[in-house]
Amino acid sequence: MKRRIRKGGWRSAAVLLSALLSATLLSAAPAGAVDGAVPGDFNGDGYGDAVLPAPGADVAGQEAAGAVVVLYGSSAGLSPTRRKTFTQNSTGVPSSPEAYDRFGGATATADLNRDGYADLVVSAPYEDTARGKDTGLLTVLWGSKAGLASATELPIPFMPGAGWAEGAAYGSDLAAIGLGPGEGTEVVAAGRKLGAAHFEGPFSRTGTSGSRWITSEMETTAFTSFGLGDFNGDGKPDEAAATAHDVYIPPMKLNEMAQGDGRVVATGDVNGDGRDDVVVGDPEEPTAPASREGALGGRVIVYYAGSNGINNDVQPVVLTQNTPGVPGTSEKNDAFGASVAVADLDRDGVDDIVVGTPYEGVAGKNRSGEVTVIPGRKTGAPGTGSYAFNQFTAGVGGGNELDDFFGTTVSAGDVDGDGRPELFVGASGENNFTGTVWVFPGAASGPIAKGSRVFNAFSVNLTQQNGTLLGGNGLLWVI
């Protein structure tokens, strides 16, 4: 019988189970990690390489020590034979596998050291270190002509007396960006309980970086998601972060400015004005009938950037399944907005919004899940022309089943070099929570179901019978 990860904690779920930006998706593209790293060209061959985290994978007899599977792209797309799996048991990877470290809990890609190869940042948020239990560990796997071939720890800065170590779970989410020449254009942000760790370039293969600091003053229990982009067009990274209750673009707290809290953040230019906007997924129900927090069935909130970035007077656009043009109907506990990604899927010069609804019931199967693509628009509110995929869609492999959670994670990137980004959809509940990732091929008008590929844990040689969580667990540990 399929066992569902219950709401509550990431670690308790592990015990219960016994245990993918920009139009061209260059290595400089920002990557949010609640939805897993977007494909990056780790070996410089011109093809994006897909990142499939498996934070529940057993390693060397250690339950849920965690793994990350990299599928290298080619003109023929992805193949399970062109893969490399990384764990803390891999040669050169810092530390060693321990039960419930959750290596691969979050991932992000960017060219951090400006050598022309994308690098992969991986967290183990429940790693025990000399600084405390469940402190968390950040690892950078460095790109090269041979692919990801070396790794170093990204040392977390010291901040005594701020609850910075014991139980901090650094890397509960990650974001990374590399915008090219200039000071401060490479940034890594790592979520943690009661704040975040920030790293600014230049980065080196020895694990050094420029400035690094911790923020802990935020009134929050944990950062659930980060997004990095250029909101004001100055060529420097700007940060947006979601917590259990608020959305921040430091030093502003957006839910004090206008309606809007949320759980997951993505960035991209969804109105084609040349500046990155902030897209926030808010999958939770309202706490009271008149509450500004949450919406029936979940929502997505879009904050458009202006010439000075995102200001205090910004009025966001709110999208739900009741928005004209968006498929479906808002129903209680659908969790629309549990995952979001931003990418130019149809190559019209405007980024599109991908929304996961993992608790959506499809064809009578509760929480089987669905993913919606909402095209970006240069004028007017988005919604028109939206379309959806689920496991009941013709051409989509796999069976539509109770508690599959199709749409747990979403990302996009071009892995076959044709300039048309593929869409990646994770379903953490598939096959007794071993997890499955679908790859929808890119086409002229966006991704299509015909020819979609299915990668499950067994196809990439992760053979345990439950709890692998291939593709990641997204926000299912908090909603």
Side-chain angles (χ1 to χ4, degrees):
M1 180 177 68
K2 181 179 288 185
R3 289 175 285 180
R4 179 183 176 189
I5 295 183
R6 58 182 171 84
K7 299 178 185 179
W10 177 268
R11 286 179 66 92
S12 63
V15 174
L16 175 67
L17 289 167
S18 69
L20 275 121
L21 94 162
S22 71
T24 54
L25 292 159
L26 300 173
S27 59
V34 166
D35 287 318
V38 300
D41 188 0
F42 301 127
N43 57 5
D45 64 357
Y47 303 102
D49 307 312
V51 180
L52 277 57
D58 298 346
V59 178
Q62 301 296 313
E63 293 185 30
V68 173
V69 179
V70 174
L71 301 177
Y72 286 97
S74 71
S75 60
L78 303 175
S79 168
T81 62
R82 285 177 51 84
R83 73 172 188 272
K84 188 167 183 179
T85 300
F86 296 91
T87 73
Q88 290 181 307
N89 209 31
S90 299
T91 301
V93 174
S95 192
S96 59
E98 299 168 312
Y100 308 112
D101 280 349
R102 297 287 188 184
F103 181 80
T107 54
T109 54
D111 183 1
L112 297 179
N113 60 351
R114 302 185 191 176
D115 64 354
Y117 300 100
D119 308 305
L120 177 62
V121 188
V122 181
S123 74
Y126 297 105
E127 176 85 18
D128 296 342
T129 73
R131 293 175 174 175
K133 182 177 175 62
D134 294 346
T135 301
L137 184 72
L138 307 179
T139 298
V140 181
L141 299 168
W142 299 100
S144 70
K145 187 175 182 179
L148 296 172
S150 63
T152 51
E153 179 183 350
L154 192 60
I156 295 167
F158 179 76
M159 187 176 182
W164 67 277
E166 183 81 19
Y170 282 98
S172 54
D173 188 50
L174 289 172
I177 193 169
L179 294 178
E183 290 297 320
T185 57
E186 294 87 24
V187 172
V188 173
R192 74 176 189 110
K193 297 179 181 178
L194 299 176
H198 306 263
F199 306 83
E200 189 175 281
F203 293 87
S204 76
R205 286 178 176 265
T206 63
T208 63
S209 64
S211 301
R212 59 182 73 191
W213 68 96
I214 292 174
T215 58
S216 61
E217 71 278 11
M218 304 296 192
E219 296 174 1
T220 178
T221 56
F223 279 92
T224 56
S225 179
F226 278 97
L228 292 166
D230 184 1
F231 307 148
N232 57 10
D234 66 354
K236 297 285 185 69
D238 302 305
E239 180 181 299
T243 75
H245 305 289
D246 305 304
V247 177
Y248 291 90
I249 297 181
M252 298 179 295
K253 188 161 69 172
L254 292 186
N255 73 319
E256 291 183 343
M257 299 154 48
Q259 58 180 324
D261 57 353
R263 288 287 196 172
V264 58
V265 175
T267 65
D269 183 7
V270 298
N271 62 355
D273 67 353
R275 291 180 290 269
D276 288 331
D277 308 302
V278 175
V279 179
V280 179
D282 182 15
E284 297 186 323
E285 299 295 313
T287 56
S291 174
R292 294 193 312 168
E293 297 184 0
L296 176 66
R299 63 184 177 176
V300 169
I301 306 166
V302 182
Y303 294 93
Y304 291 107
S307 58
N308 295 318
I310 298 175
N311 301 314
N312 286 316
D313 60 353
V314 66
Q315 292 297 315
V317 170
V318 178
L319 303 169
T320 72
Q321 288 180 296
N322 287 340
T323 298
V326 176
T329 302
S330 296
E331 301 168 309
K332 188 174 182 179
N333 296 324
D334 279 349
F336 181 81
S339 57
V340 294
V342 177
D344 186 1
L345 298 175
D346 56 6
R347 301 182 301 164
D348 65 351
V350 183
D351 287 339
D352 309 305
I353 301 169
V354 185
V355 185
T357 313
Y359 290 176
E360 177 79 21
V362 177
K365 303 296 184 182
N366 290 338
R367 298 176 299 277
S368 54
E370 186 169 78
V371 167
T372 303
V373 177
I374 303 174
R377 293 171 56 104
K378 290 187 177 181
T379 60
T384 302
S386 300
Y387 54 97
F389 298 108
N390 55 58
Q391 289 188 78
F392 208 66
T393 302
V396 178
N400 186 66
E401 300 170 306
L402 173 73
D403 288 348
D404 278 347
F405 305 119
F406 182 88
T408 301
T409 58
V410 290
S411 59
D414 182 10
V415 295
D416 58 9
D418 66 355
R420 300 170 175 176
E422 279 69 50
L423 173 63
F424 293 76
V425 177
S428 62
E430 272 282 334
N431 301 324
N432 205 23
F433 289 94
T434 55
T436 296
V437 176
W438 282 259
V439 182
F440 292 83
S445 58
I448 57 176
K450 183 178 180 181
S452 58
R453 299 282 308 278
V454 179
F455 294 91
N456 59 37
F458 305 104
S459 71
V460 294
N461 202 36
L462 298 176
T463 58
Q464 70 197 63
Q465 297 301 304
N466 58 60
T468 314
L469 300 174
L470 185 73
N473 201 38
L475 285 178
L476 295 192
W477 65 285
V478 292
I479 63 172

